[in-house]
mmCIF file of all heavy atoms in Angstrom:
data_model
loop_
_atom_site.group_PDB
_atom_site.id
_atom_site.type_symbol
_atom_site.label_atom_id
_atom_site.label_comp_id
_atom_site.label_asym_id
_atom_site.label_seq_id
_atom_site.Cartn_x
_atom_site.Cartn_y
_atom_site.Cartn_z
ATOM 1 N N ASN G 1 113.756 103.231 87.165
ATOM 2 C CA ASN G 1 112.669 104.197 87.010
ATOM 3 C C ASN G 1 112.977 105.218 85.931
ATOM 4 O O ASN G 1 112.450 106.329 85.953
ATOM 5 C CB ASN G 1 112.377 104.908 88.333
ATOM 6 C CG ASN G 1 113.505 105.805 88.786
ATOM 7 O OD1 ASN G 1 114.670 105.543 88.504
ATOM 8 N ND2 ASN G 1 113.179 106.881 89.504
ATOM 9 N N ASP G 2 113.829 104.860 84.978
ATOM 10 C CA ASP G 2 114.140 105.739 83.860
ATOM 11 C C ASP G 2 113.008 105.656 82.842
ATOM 12 O O ASP G 2 112.953 104.781 81.997
ATOM 13 C CB ASP G 2 115.461 105.320 83.203
ATOM 14 C CG ASP G 2 115.824 106.185 81.998
ATOM 15 O OD1 ASP G 2 115.175 107.228 81.791
ATOM 16 O OD2 ASP G 2 116.734 105.787 81.255
ATOM 17 N N MET G 3 112.080 106.595 82.918
ATOM 18 C CA MET G 3 110.887 106.525 82.095
ATOM 19 C C MET G 3 111.150 106.845 80.626
ATOM 20 O O MET G 3 110.250 106.795 79.803
ATOM 21 C CB MET G 3 109.802 107.453 82.643
ATOM 22 C CG MET G 3 109.388 107.101 84.081
ATOM 23 S SD MET G 3 108.975 105.344 84.316
ATOM 24 C CE MET G 3 107.521 105.187 83.309
ATOM 25 N N THR G 4 112.396 107.179 80.287
ATOM 26 C CA THR G 4 112.741 107.354 78.878
ATOM 27 C C THR G 4 113.037 106.013 78.211
ATOM 28 O O THR G 4 113.124 105.919 77.002
ATOM 29 C CB THR G 4 113.977 108.257 78.717
ATOM 30 O OG1 THR G 4 115.114 107.633 79.362
ATOM 31 C CG2 THR G 4 113.738 109.619 79.358
ATOM 32 N N GLY G 5 113.174 104.974 79.029
ATOM 33 C CA GLY G 5 113.435 103.646 78.504
ATOM 34 C C GLY G 5 112.153 102.895 78.236
ATOM 35 O O GLY G 5 111.090 103.463 78.051
ATOM 36 N N ASP G 6 112.263 101.584 78.213
ATOM 37 C CA ASP G 6 111.104 100.734 77.959
ATOM 38 C C ASP G 6 110.180 100.762 79.169
ATOM 39 O O ASP G 6 110.558 100.293 80.246
ATOM 40 C CB ASP G 6 111.572 99.304 77.673
ATOM 41 C CG ASP G 6 110.438 98.394 77.204
ATOM 42 O OD1 ASP G 6 109.264 98.718 77.467
ATOM 43 O OD2 ASP G 6 110.734 97.367 76.579
ATOM 44 N N PRO G 7 108.954 101.289 79.032
ATOM 45 C CA PRO G 7 108.071 101.386 80.201
ATOM 46 C C PRO G 7 107.682 100.035 80.776
ATOM 47 O O PRO G 7 107.253 99.960 81.930
ATOM 48 C CB PRO G 7 106.846 102.130 79.651
ATOM 49 C CG PRO G 7 106.876 101.908 78.171
ATOM 50 C CD PRO G 7 108.325 101.822 77.814
ATOM 51 N N ASP G 8 107.831 98.960 80.001
ATOM 52 C CA ASP G 8 107.514 97.632 80.511
ATOM 53 C C ASP G 8 108.501 97.162 81.565
ATOM 54 O O ASP G 8 108.236 96.178 82.263
ATOM 55 C CB ASP G 8 107.468 96.623 79.365
ATOM 56 C CG ASP G 8 106.283 96.851 78.432
ATOM 57 O OD1 ASP G 8 105.280 97.448 78.876
ATOM 58 O OD2 ASP G 8 106.374 96.435 77.253
ATOM 59 N N PHE G 9 109.647 97.837 81.670
ATOM 60 C CA PHE G 9 110.681 97.427 82.613
ATOM 61 C C PHE G 9 111.077 98.569 83.539
ATOM 62 O O PHE G 9 112.217 98.644 84.010
ATOM 63 C CB PHE G 9 111.905 96.890 81.851
ATOM 64 C CG PHE G 9 111.608 95.666 81.038
ATOM 65 C CD1 PHE G 9 111.329 95.768 79.688
ATOM 66 C CD2 PHE G 9 111.580 94.424 81.636
ATOM 67 C CE1 PHE G 9 111.027 94.641 78.933
ATOM 68 C CE2 PHE G 9 111.284 93.285 80.881
ATOM 69 C CZ PHE G 9 111.002 93.392 79.528
ATOM 70 N N ASN G 10 110.157 99.457 83.798
ATOM 71 C CA ASN G 10 110.372 100.567 84.708
ATOM 72 C C ASN G 10 109.206 100.661 85.684
ATOM 73 O O ASN G 10 108.111 100.193 85.415
ATOM 74 C CB ASN G 10 110.507 101.886 83.942
ATOM 75 C CG ASN G 10 111.805 101.992 83.187
ATOM 76 O OD1 ASN G 10 112.847 102.180 83.795
ATOM 77 N ND2 ASN G 10 111.746 101.863 81.869
ATOM 78 N N MET G 11 109.466 101.274 86.815
ATOM 79 C CA MET G 11 108.425 101.516 87.799
ATOM 80 C C MET G 11 108.677 102.861 88.451
ATOM 81 O O MET G 11 109.807 103.161 88.858
ATOM 82 C CB MET G 11 108.389 100.402 88.846
ATOM 83 C CG MET G 11 107.419 100.655 89.987
ATOM 84 S SD MET G 11 107.158 99.224 91.069
ATOM 85 C CE MET G 11 105.863 98.359 90.176
ATOM 86 N N SER G 12 107.643 103.683 88.568
ATOM 87 C CA SER G 12 107.785 104.990 89.189
ATOM 88 C C SER G 12 108.098 104.847 90.668
ATOM 89 O O SER G 12 107.774 103.833 91.300
ATOM 90 C CB SER G 12 106.512 105.814 88.995
ATOM 91 O OG SER G 12 105.451 105.299 89.796
ATOM 92 N N SER G 13 108.721 105.860 91.236
ATOM 93 C CA SER G 13 109.038 105.838 92.660
ATOM 94 C C SER G 13 107.762 105.762 93.496
ATOM 95 O O SER G 13 107.742 105.140 94.571
ATOM 96 C CB SER G 13 109.858 107.067 93.047
ATOM 97 O OG SER G 13 109.211 108.266 92.640
ATOM 98 N N TYR G 14 106.691 106.381 93.011
ATOM 99 C CA TYR G 14 105.413 106.316 93.722
ATOM 100 C C TYR G 14 104.892 104.883 93.779
ATOM 101 O O TYR G 14 104.515 104.390 94.842
ATOM 102 C CB TYR G 14 104.392 107.228 93.045
ATOM 103 C CG TYR G 14 102.982 107.058 93.585
ATOM 104 C CD1 TYR G 14 102.585 107.682 94.754
ATOM 105 C CD2 TYR G 14 102.071 106.229 92.939
ATOM 106 C CE1 TYR G 14 101.307 107.500 95.264
ATOM 107 C CE2 TYR G 14 100.781 106.054 93.434
ATOM 108 C CZ TYR G 14 100.410 106.687 94.601
ATOM 109 O OH TYR G 14 99.145 106.497 95.104
ATOM 110 N N ASP G 15 104.851 104.181 92.637
ATOM 111 C CA ASP G 15 104.364 102.804 92.613
ATOM 112 C C ASP G 15 105.264 101.885 93.436
ATOM 113 O O ASP G 15 104.793 100.938 94.077
ATOM 114 C CB ASP G 15 104.274 102.302 91.175
ATOM 115 C CG ASP G 15 103.107 102.905 90.414
ATOM 116 O OD1 ASP G 15 102.123 103.311 91.058
ATOM 117 O OD2 ASP G 15 103.173 102.985 89.161
ATOM 118 N N TYR G 16 106.564 102.171 93.394
ATOM 119 C CA TYR G 16 107.516 101.381 94.176
ATOM 120 C C TYR G 16 107.247 101.557 95.669
ATOM 121 O O TYR G 16 107.210 100.576 96.423
ATOM 122 C CB TYR G 16 108.937 101.829 93.824
ATOM 123 C CG TYR G 16 110.031 100.928 94.340
ATOM 124 C CD1 TYR G 16 110.294 99.696 93.749
ATOM 125 C CD2 TYR G 16 110.839 101.323 95.400
ATOM 126 C CE1 TYR G 16 111.315 98.876 94.208
ATOM 127 C CE2 TYR G 16 111.863 100.517 95.867
ATOM 128 C CZ TYR G 16 112.092 99.298 95.267
ATOM 129 O OH TYR G 16 113.112 98.498 95.738
ATOM 130 N N TRP G 17 107.056 102.793 96.100
ATOM 131 C CA TRP G 17 106.746 103.057 97.499
ATOM 132 C C TRP G 17 105.459 102.352 97.895
ATOM 133 O O TRP G 17 105.374 101.732 98.955
ATOM 134 C CB TRP G 17 106.618 104.573 97.726
ATOM 135 C CG TRP G 17 106.529 104.993 99.162
ATOM 136 C CD1 TRP G 17 107.553 105.363 99.982
ATOM 137 C CD2 TRP G 17 105.335 105.092 99.964
ATOM 138 N NE1 TRP G 17 107.090 105.683 101.236
ATOM 139 C CE2 TRP G 17 105.722 105.531 101.250
ATOM 140 C CE3 TRP G 17 103.982 104.861 99.716
ATOM 141 C CZ2 TRP G 17 104.810 105.738 102.284
ATOM 142 C CZ3 TRP G 17 103.074 105.050 100.749
ATOM 143 C CH2 TRP G 17 103.480 105.485 102.007
ATOM 144 N N GLN G 18 104.443 102.428 97.041
ATOM 145 C CA GLN G 18 103.169 101.802 97.332
ATOM 146 C C GLN G 18 103.291 100.286 97.482
ATOM 147 O O GLN G 18 102.626 99.682 98.335
ATOM 148 C CB GLN G 18 102.165 102.116 96.222
ATOM 149 C CG GLN G 18 101.432 103.432 96.397
ATOM 150 C CD GLN G 18 100.530 103.413 97.611
ATOM 151 O OE1 GLN G 18 100.744 104.119 98.585
ATOM 152 N NE2 GLN G 18 99.523 102.598 97.563
ATOM 153 N N TYR G 19 104.133 99.660 96.658
ATOM 154 C CA TYR G 19 104.311 98.215 96.759
ATOM 155 C C TYR G 19 104.767 97.826 98.160
ATOM 156 O O TYR G 19 104.229 96.894 98.774
ATOM 157 C CB TYR G 19 105.325 97.741 95.719
ATOM 158 C CG TYR G 19 105.714 96.287 95.876
ATOM 159 C CD1 TYR G 19 104.879 95.271 95.435
ATOM 160 C CD2 TYR G 19 106.925 95.931 96.482
ATOM 161 C CE1 TYR G 19 105.225 93.936 95.580
ATOM 162 C CE2 TYR G 19 107.281 94.597 96.630
ATOM 163 C CZ TYR G 19 106.431 93.605 96.184
ATOM 164 O OH TYR G 19 106.773 92.283 96.338
ATOM 165 N N TRP G 20 105.752 98.532 98.691
ATOM 166 C CA TRP G 20 106.274 98.200 100.011
ATOM 167 C C TRP G 20 105.323 98.652 101.121
ATOM 168 O O TRP G 20 105.251 97.999 102.177
ATOM 169 C CB TRP G 20 107.662 98.802 100.193
ATOM 170 C CG TRP G 20 108.654 98.208 99.235
ATOM 171 C CD1 TRP G 20 109.190 98.801 98.126
ATOM 172 C CD2 TRP G 20 109.194 96.885 99.264
ATOM 173 N NE1 TRP G 20 110.035 97.933 97.474
ATOM 174 C CE2 TRP G 20 110.049 96.746 98.148
ATOM 175 C CE3 TRP G 20 109.033 95.813 100.138
ATOM 176 C CZ2 TRP G 20 110.746 95.574 97.870
ATOM 177 C CZ3 TRP G 20 109.727 94.634 99.871
ATOM 178 C CH2 TRP G 20 110.578 94.536 98.754
ATOM 179 N N ARG G 21 104.605 99.740 100.912
ATOM 180 C CA ARG G 21 103.611 100.173 101.892
ATOM 181 C C ARG G 21 102.527 99.103 102.078
ATOM 182 O O ARG G 21 101.959 98.960 103.169
ATOM 183 C CB ARG G 21 102.982 101.502 101.431
ATOM 184 C CG ARG G 21 101.673 101.903 102.101
ATOM 185 C CD ARG G 21 101.817 102.099 103.591
ATOM 186 N NE ARG G 21 100.552 102.493 104.198
ATOM 187 C CZ ARG G 21 99.603 101.641 104.562
ATOM 188 N NH1 ARG G 21 99.782 100.333 104.386
ATOM 189 N NH2 ARG G 21 98.484 102.074 105.113
ATOM 190 N N ASN G 22 102.253 98.341 101.062
ATOM 191 C CA ASN G 22 101.213 97.318 101.115
ATOM 192 C C ASN G 22 101.725 95.967 101.605
ATOM 193 O O ASN G 22 101.050 94.941 101.451
ATOM 194 C CB ASN G 22 100.568 97.158 99.741
ATOM 195 C CG ASN G 22 99.804 98.394 99.315
ATOM 196 O OD1 ASN G 22 99.291 99.140 100.150
ATOM 197 N ND2 ASN G 22 99.747 98.650 98.012
ATOM 198 N N THR G 23 102.918 95.952 102.194
ATOM 199 C CA THR G 23 103.472 94.728 102.768
ATOM 200 C C THR G 23 102.497 94.116 103.782
ATOM 201 O O THR G 23 101.853 94.830 104.548
ATOM 202 C CB THR G 23 104.817 95.032 103.457
ATOM 203 O OG1 THR G 23 105.770 95.426 102.459
ATOM 204 C CG2 THR G 23 105.350 93.824 104.209
ATOM 205 N N GLU G 24 102.406 92.778 103.759
ATOM 206 C CA GLU G 24 101.568 92.106 104.744
ATOM 207 C C GLU G 24 102.126 92.303 106.160
ATOM 208 O O GLU G 24 103.344 92.383 106.356
ATOM 209 C CB GLU G 24 101.487 90.617 104.415
ATOM 210 C CG GLU G 24 100.833 90.320 103.062
ATOM 211 C CD GLU G 24 100.893 88.854 102.681
ATOM 212 O OE1 GLU G 24 100.899 88.014 103.601
ATOM 213 O OE2 GLU G 24 100.928 88.544 101.470
ATOM 214 N N ASP G 25 101.243 92.389 107.136
ATOM 215 C CA ASP G 25 101.647 92.655 108.524
ATOM 216 C C ASP G 25 102.754 91.714 108.986
ATOM 217 O O ASP G 25 103.727 92.137 109.624
ATOM 218 C CB ASP G 25 100.442 92.524 109.465
ATOM 219 C CG ASP G 25 99.396 93.612 109.260
ATOM 220 O OD1 ASP G 25 99.561 94.439 108.342
ATOM 221 O OD2 ASP G 25 98.397 93.629 110.021
ATOM 222 N N ALA G 26 102.608 90.439 108.671
ATOM 223 C CA ALA G 26 103.546 89.431 109.160
ATOM 224 C C ALA G 26 104.937 89.544 108.544
ATOM 225 O O ALA G 26 105.892 88.943 109.049
ATOM 226 C CB ALA G 26 102.981 88.035 108.905
ATOM 227 N N ASP G 27 105.065 90.299 107.462
ATOM 228 C CA ASP G 27 106.342 90.405 106.753
ATOM 229 C C ASP G 27 107.133 91.661 107.110
ATOM 230 O O ASP G 27 108.277 91.809 106.671
ATOM 231 C CB ASP G 27 106.114 90.384 105.238
ATOM 232 C CG ASP G 27 105.602 89.053 104.742
ATOM 233 O OD1 ASP G 27 105.988 88.021 105.311
ATOM 234 O OD2 ASP G 27 104.800 89.035 103.774
ATOM 235 N N VAL G 28 106.550 92.575 107.873
ATOM 236 C CA VAL G 28 107.170 93.876 108.097
ATOM 237 C C VAL G 28 108.563 93.742 108.720
ATOM 238 O O VAL G 28 109.542 94.313 108.237
ATOM 239 C CB VAL G 28 106.270 94.773 108.970
ATOM 240 C CG1 VAL G 28 107.023 96.036 109.387
ATOM 241 C CG2 VAL G 28 105.010 95.156 108.207
ATOM 242 N N GLY G 29 108.677 92.998 109.816
ATOM 243 C CA GLY G 29 109.957 92.859 110.492
ATOM 244 C C GLY G 29 111.017 92.215 109.620
ATOM 245 O O GLY G 29 112.165 92.669 109.546
ATOM 246 N N ARG G 30 110.630 91.135 108.947
ATOM 247 C CA ARG G 30 111.565 90.415 108.082
ATOM 248 C C ARG G 30 112.073 91.309 106.953
ATOM 249 O O ARG G 30 113.280 91.335 106.661
ATOM 250 C CB ARG G 30 110.877 89.181 107.519
ATOM 251 C CG ARG G 30 111.732 88.291 106.655
ATOM 252 C CD ARG G 30 111.061 86.941 106.448
ATOM 253 N NE ARG G 30 109.712 87.074 105.899
ATOM 254 C CZ ARG G 30 109.290 86.479 104.776
ATOM 255 N NH1 ARG G 30 110.101 85.691 104.105
ATOM 256 N NH2 ARG G 30 108.056 86.649 104.352
ATOM 257 N N PHE G 31 111.187 92.050 106.325
ATOM 258 C CA PHE G 31 111.581 92.913 105.220
ATOM 259 C C PHE G 31 112.419 94.099 105.705
ATOM 260 O O PHE G 31 113.331 94.555 105.006
ATOM 261 C CB PHE G 31 110.350 93.407 104.467
ATOM 262 C CG PHE G 31 109.661 92.338 103.652
ATOM 263 C CD1 PHE G 31 108.502 92.624 102.941
ATOM 264 C CD2 PHE G 31 110.166 91.049 103.588
ATOM 265 C CE1 PHE G 31 107.873 91.656 102.192
ATOM 266 C CE2 PHE G 31 109.530 90.060 102.831
ATOM 267 C CZ PHE G 31 108.379 90.368 102.142
ATOM 268 N N LEU G 32 112.127 94.618 106.883
ATOM 269 C CA LEU G 32 112.941 95.698 107.440
ATOM 270 C C LEU G 32 114.377 95.229 107.667
ATOM 271 O O LEU G 32 115.330 95.976 107.424
ATOM 272 C CB LEU G 32 112.339 96.212 108.743
ATOM 273 C CG LEU G 32 111.162 97.185 108.624
ATOM 274 C CD1 LEU G 32 110.464 97.362 109.968
ATOM 275 C CD2 LEU G 32 111.614 98.541 108.092
ATOM 276 N N ARG G 33 114.554 94.003 108.140
ATOM 277 C CA ARG G 33 115.902 93.484 108.382
ATOM 278 C C ARG G 33 116.665 93.293 107.073
ATOM 279 O O ARG G 33 117.858 93.577 106.996
ATOM 280 C CB ARG G 33 115.826 92.162 109.149
ATOM 281 C CG ARG G 33 115.390 92.320 110.595
ATOM 282 C CD ARG G 33 115.398 90.972 111.348
ATOM 283 N NE ARG G 33 114.946 91.167 112.727
ATOM 284 C CZ ARG G 33 113.688 91.135 113.103
ATOM 285 N NH1 ARG G 33 112.729 90.874 112.205
ATOM 286 N NH2 ARG G 33 113.351 91.352 114.363
ATOM 287 N N LEU G 34 115.980 92.810 106.056
ATOM 288 C CA LEU G 34 116.648 92.507 104.797
ATOM 289 C C LEU G 34 116.866 93.734 103.921
ATOM 290 O O LEU G 34 117.924 93.888 103.303
ATOM 291 C CB LEU G 34 115.829 91.473 104.014
ATOM 292 C CG LEU G 34 115.783 90.053 104.565
ATOM 293 C CD1 LEU G 34 114.735 89.229 103.837
ATOM 294 C CD2 LEU G 34 117.151 89.373 104.456
ATOM 295 N N PHE G 35 115.877 94.606 103.864
ATOM 296 C CA PHE G 35 115.872 95.628 102.823
ATOM 297 C C PHE G 35 116.086 97.052 103.324
ATOM 298 O O PHE G 35 116.086 97.991 102.537
ATOM 299 C CB PHE G 35 114.559 95.561 102.049
ATOM 300 C CG PHE G 35 114.277 94.213 101.459
ATOM 301 C CD1 PHE G 35 113.042 93.605 101.609
ATOM 302 C CD2 PHE G 35 115.256 93.537 100.745
ATOM 303 C CE1 PHE G 35 112.785 92.354 101.071
ATOM 304 C CE2 PHE G 35 115.009 92.276 100.204
ATOM 305 C CZ PHE G 35 113.779 91.695 100.368
ATOM 306 N N SER G 36 116.237 97.238 104.636
ATOM 307 C CA SER G 36 116.577 98.546 105.174
ATOM 308 C C SER G 36 117.856 98.420 105.974
ATOM 309 O O SER G 36 118.375 97.318 106.167
ATOM 310 C CB SER G 36 115.449 99.093 106.056
ATOM 311 O OG SER G 36 115.534 98.575 107.382
ATOM 312 N N GLU G 37 118.357 99.535 106.450
ATOM 313 C CA GLU G 37 119.548 99.528 107.299
ATOM 314 C C GLU G 37 119.240 100.068 108.680
ATOM 315 O O GLU G 37 120.118 100.543 109.400
ATOM 316 C CB GLU G 37 120.661 100.317 106.596
ATOM 317 C CG GLU G 37 121.123 99.606 105.326
ATOM 318 C CD GLU G 37 122.042 100.380 104.449
ATOM 319 O OE1 GLU G 37 121.997 101.635 104.503
ATOM 320 O OE2 GLU G 37 122.811 99.768 103.683
ATOM 321 N N ILE G 38 117.987 99.980 109.064
ATOM 322 C CA ILE G 38 117.560 100.354 110.403
ATOM 323 C C ILE G 38 118.140 99.347 111.400
ATOM 324 O O ILE G 38 118.109 98.133 111.147
ATOM 325 C CB ILE G 38 116.022 100.371 110.490
ATOM 326 C CG1 ILE G 38 115.442 101.404 109.513
ATOM 327 C CG2 ILE G 38 115.552 100.661 111.906
ATOM 328 C CD1 ILE G 38 113.928 101.367 109.411
ATOM 329 N N PRO G 39 118.693 99.802 112.534
ATOM 330 C CA PRO G 39 119.222 98.863 113.535
ATOM 331 C C PRO G 39 118.170 97.848 113.972
ATOM 332 O O PRO G 39 116.979 98.167 114.062
ATOM 333 C CB PRO G 39 119.629 99.783 114.691
ATOM 334 C CG PRO G 39 119.874 101.119 114.038
ATOM 335 C CD PRO G 39 118.892 101.206 112.914
ATOM 336 N N THR G 40 118.619 96.636 114.259
ATOM 337 C CA THR G 40 117.686 95.552 114.547
ATOM 338 C C THR G 40 116.876 95.785 115.825
ATOM 339 O O THR G 40 115.744 95.320 115.932
ATOM 340 C CB THR G 40 118.429 94.207 114.647
ATOM 341 O OG1 THR G 40 119.514 94.322 115.573
ATOM 342 C CG2 THR G 40 118.987 93.807 113.283
ATOM 343 N N ASP G 41 117.453 96.511 116.811
ATOM 344 C CA ASP G 41 116.674 96.775 118.020
ATOM 345 C C ASP G 41 115.504 97.708 117.728
ATOM 346 O O ASP G 41 114.416 97.559 118.308
ATOM 347 C CB ASP G 41 117.557 97.340 119.134
ATOM 348 C CG ASP G 41 118.320 98.586 118.726
ATOM 349 O OD1 ASP G 41 118.359 98.908 117.517
ATOM 350 O OD2 ASP G 41 118.887 99.262 119.626
ATOM 351 N N GLU G 42 115.704 98.662 116.809
ATOM 352 C CA GLU G 42 114.608 99.539 116.404
ATOM 353 C C GLU G 42 113.574 98.771 115.580
ATOM 354 O O GLU G 42 112.373 99.009 115.706
ATOM 355 C CB GLU G 42 115.162 100.719 115.601
ATOM 356 C CG GLU G 42 114.114 101.773 115.277
ATOM 357 C CD GLU G 42 114.694 102.977 114.568
ATOM 358 O OE1 GLU G 42 115.907 103.228 114.698
ATOM 359 O OE2 GLU G 42 113.929 103.663 113.853
ATOM 360 N N ILE G 43 114.048 97.836 114.753
ATOM 361 C CA ILE G 43 113.129 97.011 113.968
ATOM 362 C C ILE G 43 112.229 96.191 114.891
ATOM 363 O O ILE G 43 111.035 96.033 114.633
ATOM 364 C CB ILE G 43 113.905 96.095 113.007
ATOM 365 C CG1 ILE G 43 114.585 96.937 111.915
ATOM 366 C CG2 ILE G 43 112.975 95.056 112.370
ATOM 367 C CD1 ILE G 43 115.511 96.135 111.013
ATOM 368 N N ALA G 44 112.801 95.671 115.966
ATOM 369 C CA ALA G 44 112.009 94.875 116.913
ATOM 370 C C ALA G 44 110.845 95.686 117.472
ATOM 371 O O ALA G 44 109.742 95.158 117.674
ATOM 372 C CB ALA G 44 112.906 94.382 118.045
ATOM 373 N N LYS G 45 111.060 96.971 117.716
ATOM 374 C CA LYS G 45 109.984 97.838 118.212
ATOM 375 C C LYS G 45 108.922 98.058 117.138
ATOM 376 O O LYS G 45 107.723 98.036 117.418
ATOM 377 C CB LYS G 45 110.560 99.180 118.660
ATOM 378 C CG LYS G 45 111.528 99.090 119.839
ATOM 379 C CD LYS G 45 112.125 100.457 120.159
ATOM 380 C CE LYS G 45 113.158 100.355 121.283
ATOM 381 N NZ LYS G 45 113.805 101.667 121.549
ATOM 382 N N LEU G 46 109.378 98.261 115.896
ATOM 383 C CA LEU G 46 108.442 98.522 114.805
ATOM 384 C C LEU G 46 107.559 97.312 114.521
ATOM 385 O O LEU G 46 106.353 97.443 114.306
ATOM 386 C CB LEU G 46 109.208 98.926 113.543
ATOM 387 C CG LEU G 46 109.844 100.325 113.542
ATOM 388 C CD1 LEU G 46 110.807 100.486 112.370
ATOM 389 C CD2 LEU G 46 108.764 101.405 113.479
ATOM 390 N N GLU G 47 108.153 96.127 114.510
ATOM 391 C CA GLU G 47 107.363 94.948 114.160
ATOM 392 C C GLU G 47 106.431 94.517 115.290
ATOM 393 O O GLU G 47 105.537 93.696 115.073
ATOM 394 C CB GLU G 47 108.281 93.787 113.769
ATOM 395 C CG GLU G 47 109.095 93.200 114.869
ATOM 396 C CD GLU G 47 109.951 92.038 114.389
ATOM 397 O OE1 GLU G 47 109.555 91.335 113.446
ATOM 398 O OE2 GLU G 47 111.054 91.834 114.961
ATOM 399 N N SER G 48 106.633 95.059 116.490
ATOM 400 C CA SER G 48 105.756 94.731 117.608
ATOM 401 C C SER G 48 104.495 95.587 117.636
ATOM 402 O O SER G 48 103.592 95.337 118.440
ATOM 403 C CB SER G 48 106.500 94.889 118.939
ATOM 404 O OG SER G 48 106.808 96.261 119.187
#
């Protein structure tokens, strides 16, 4: 997200957050396990 570099290869933190916020319902649990460090028992509650 270094906007002083080539803008074609950067993404703002806002756009990045929005990308993950728009995750499909069925992918939430899987992505939480892979891309966060939330304990798996808490993830099970979130994906339910």
Side-chain angles (χ1 to χ4, degrees):
N1 67 330
D2 179 11
M3 300 309 294
T4 62
D6 188 339
D8 291 336
F9 297 97
N10 288 287
M11 174 170 274
S12 71
S13 54
Y14 171 81
D15 286 335
Y16 192 75
W17 190 93
Q18 275 294 113
Y19 172 78
W20 296 106
R21 163 61 179 84
N22 294 331
T23 294
E24 297 174 30
D25 292 4
D27 293 326
V28 171
R30 183 166 55 125
F31 289 178
L32 280 167
R33 289 183 181 87
L34 290 169
F35 304 132
S36 83
E37 293 171 334
I38 299 173
T40 53
D41 55 348
E42 187 176 337
I43 292 173
K45 296 176 183 177
L46 288 168
E47 69 179 330
S48 67

